[in-house]
Amino acid sequence: MNDELSRLDLLHFARRVVVQQATAALSQLDRWIADEERREAERRLGEERRPAPLAWLIQYGLNRSNIDAVHTGDCWAAAKSGRCRPATREQAVDALRQNVPPCTHCRPDTELGVLD
């Protein structure tokens, strides 16, 4: 019996190895795709469930009794202060009419149409 493999046997073996490696690589790619699809679905769901941004904010003083400023809901300065509470449009307009200063960064008085 001849223990040497023929060229055809070697080619068939090489094909089986390539198919096995390609199958493993495709399985890995399918897992990566499934993971990415899951992350994308979670991201979309998070965006859908995210509450609407606040339109107006009122910044209170350190003692929480006096009002320091009026901000738009997306003002970066309001986010840094940490002393803001949500407000309705009417509350923001009322505060501005009572001479509460508008934020110099987001200019809520301009957006609200309350100019001196």
Side-chain angles (χ1 to χ4, degrees):
M1 184 180 225
N2 189 358
D3 285 341
E4 286 187 29
L5 296 173
S6 70
R7 181 172 168 81
L8 183 59
D9 291 334
L10 291 174
L11 289 172
H12 280 293
F13 174 75
R15 184 184 187 287
R16 285 193 306 272
V17 169
V18 168
V19 167
Q20 181 183 15
Q21 289 176 345
T23 302
L26 285 173
S27 294
Q28 179 66 50
L29 280 172
D30 289 341
R31 284 191 299 274
W32 289 343
I33 289 169
D35 289 344
E36 192 60 32
E37 287 173 341
R38 180 186 44 79
R39 280 191 289 271
E40 183 66 22
E42 288 172 353
R43 185 193 61 76
R44 279 194 306 272
L45 184 61
E47 285 179 359
E48 291 170 4
R49 289 184 176 173
R50 183 176 296 133
L54 301 171
W56 312 105
L57 298 169
I58 293 181
Q59 178 180 332
Y60 289 87
L62 293 175
N63 62 3
R64 297 280 184 185
S65 64
N66 61 325
I67 298 175
D68 284 349
V70 178
H71 298 273
T72 59
D74 59 352
C75 179
W76 63 269
K80 288 183 89 172
S81 80
R83 297 189 320 251
C84 292
R85 292 194 183 145
T88 63
R89 184 180 200 289
E90 293 76 27
Q91 290 170 325
V93 168
D94 187 49
L96 290 171
R97 287 191 178 138
Q98 293 178 16
N99 295 325
V100 173
C103 173
T104 57
H105 303 287
C106 64
R107 302 304 306 184
D109 52 340
T110 303
E111 276 194 53
L112 289 167
V114 180
L115 300 173
D116 292 332

